[in-house]
Amino acid sequence: MKTIDRKSLTVRAATCVLLLFSCFYMYDFYKCLSGFIANGFREPLVMLPMILAFLLPVLCFLAFFYDFYVRALHPVVKAIYSVLVALYAMTDLALIFCNIDLYASNNALGVYDALPGIVLHFPYDMIIVLTALALLQIFNLVAGNRKGTRAGAFLEGIKQRGSFKIRVIEYLALCVLAIMVFIFTGAAVCATFTAFENAFYDFRYLFLVIWVMLVPMANLIMLALKPEKVAQQKRTKLTVLGAWIGGNLLFGLLFLILELTYPDFIVHIGKPLFLIAFSVSLPIEPGIILGIMALGTLVAAIRMIMVAAKRNERA
């Protein structure tokens, strides 16, 4: 295997790991936010540092993904981004240390065990992550974002820009969608390990976990990949787009069947997956997933029609 291929595989594998961590952190953000809402927005000085801490790594991942896989950020934008992230991280660290006794006591009591951390639990995991992000941005300002430095040359050499052909406005819209998708994926992965016994009491729970874990992420990936623009035969493009539509319709039909045969099944078994819905007694998360499926199906259908209408493309 060529060196460039090994580099590419390594970078993509690292991206997948960062993506998984982003899903966990977004889920932590989601849990803290839902608890904050459920408690009537009490104790903001305690909850907001936690919420902000879990959000920052996700925002950094989205910026990293654009710079590595879409196109280069303007040097001025990079510098502003690094300064803002460093200030964000250091400010949140200061807020965490203002309440460090409370957080440490809660950690010792196991209060934060339900927040999936990387090896450690809050606040120790986020102290490490926020410190690392602040130092990384300082490094980027000093060397990483500068041409002519070894660090800058190395980073430019491993970036795979052009892998995703996405315009800026389109990417911003996908970021909003990605934030919601990360929440669902993180919730489903965590629910698989913490509440999978629900599947033994009600098989519908297994459907919910698969639906929440795979369907939103699959739609996000397909929206970003744009299979109709990949250099392949027309028949292959139509097959991929058709499978995208078919998958959404299949899961939509299964959801409808379960909802009609057992209207309260989400109420009885869905709490580990839909925390905000249970906090406000509204089906917010299921509605968002169905909306993502509808959006993906509509976009796939439009793209399928456009591909089919092209006469000069190889069949």
Side-chain angles (χ1 to χ4, degrees), residues 187-209 268-273:
V189 172
C190 293
T192 300
F193 292 103
T194 60
F196 194 73
E197 65 272 9
N198 285 1
F200 297 104
Y201 303 124
D202 193 325
F203 72 95
R204 299 172 187 86
Y205 184 76
L206 181 60
F207 166 79
L208 277 183
V209 170
H268 291 298
I269 60 176
K271 188 172 183 180
L273 297 165

Side-chain angles (χ1 to χ4, degrees), residues 12-22 61:
R12 293 181 185 185
T15 302
C16 289
V17 173
L18 292 175
L19 172 62
L20 182 60
F21 287 174
S22 295
F61 172 79

Side-chain angles (χ1 to χ4, degrees), residues 22-38 47 50-51 54-55 58 115 179-180 182-188 212 270-279 284-286 288:
S22 295
C23 292
F24 286 145
Y25 287 132
M26 204 64 230
Y27 176 63
D28 288 341
F29 167 86
Y30 163 74
K31 287 200 78 172
C32 291
L33 181 61
S34 63
F36 190 39
I37 293 171
M47 295 303 300
M50 298 177 64
I51 292 170
F54 290 126
L55 180 62
V58 181
L115 299 175
I179 285 173
M180 293 185 287
F182 290 176
I183 291 173
F184 294 132
T185 303
V212 173
K271 188 172 183 180
L273 297 165
F274 307 125
L275 298 181
I276 291 181
F278 280 82
S279 297
I284 294 174
E285 292 103 332
I288 291 174

Side-chain angles (χ1 to χ4, degrees), residues 147-299:
K147 293 182 179 180
T149 63
R150 289 185 178 180
F154 172 76
L155 289 173
E156 289 301 313
I158 64 174
K159 291 176 181 178
Q160 300 171 35
R161 291 166 180 152
S163 300
F164 293 81
K165 302 184 184 302
I166 309 172
R167 291 170 294 179
V168 175
I169 301 236
E170 189 179 4
Y171 190 77
L172 291 175
L174 284 173
C175 285
V176 175
L177 180 62
I179 285 173
M180 293 185 287
V181 171
F182 290 176
I183 291 173
F184 294 132
T185 303
V189 172
C190 293
T192 300
F193 292 103
T194 60
F196 194 73
E197 65 272 9
N198 285 1
F200 297 104
Y201 303 124
D202 193 325
F203 72 95
R204 299 172 187 86
Y205 184 76
L206 181 60
F207 166 79
L208 277 183
V209 170
I210 295 173
W211 183 51
V212 173
M213 184 186 301
L214 298 182
V215 174
M217 182 61 76
N219 276 279
L220 175 64
I221 291 171
M222 294 300 286
L223 286 167
L225 275 177
K226 298 183 178 179
E228 75 282 359
K229 292 188 176 181
V230 177
Q232 55 189 3
Q233 291 186 342
K234 183 176 181 178
R235 185 183 298 108
T236 304
K237 294 179 181 181
L238 292 173
T239 300
V240 173
L241 292 168
W244 182 6
I245 295 172
N248 279 330
L249 292 178
L250 174 62
F251 274 93
L253 179 62
L254 290 173
F255 179 83
L256 179 62
I257 291 172
L258 292 175
E259 185 67 24
L260 290 175
T261 55
Y262 189 24
D264 296 329
F265 82 101
I266 291 181
V267 174
H268 291 298
I269 60 176
K271 188 172 183 180
L273 297 165
F274 307 125
L275 298 181
I276 291 181
F278 280 82
S279 297
V280 298
S281 300
L282 290 172
I284 294 174
E285 292 103 332
I288 291 174
I289 296 177
L290 291 172
I292 292 172
M293 293 169 63
L295 173 64
T297 302
L298 177 62
V299 171

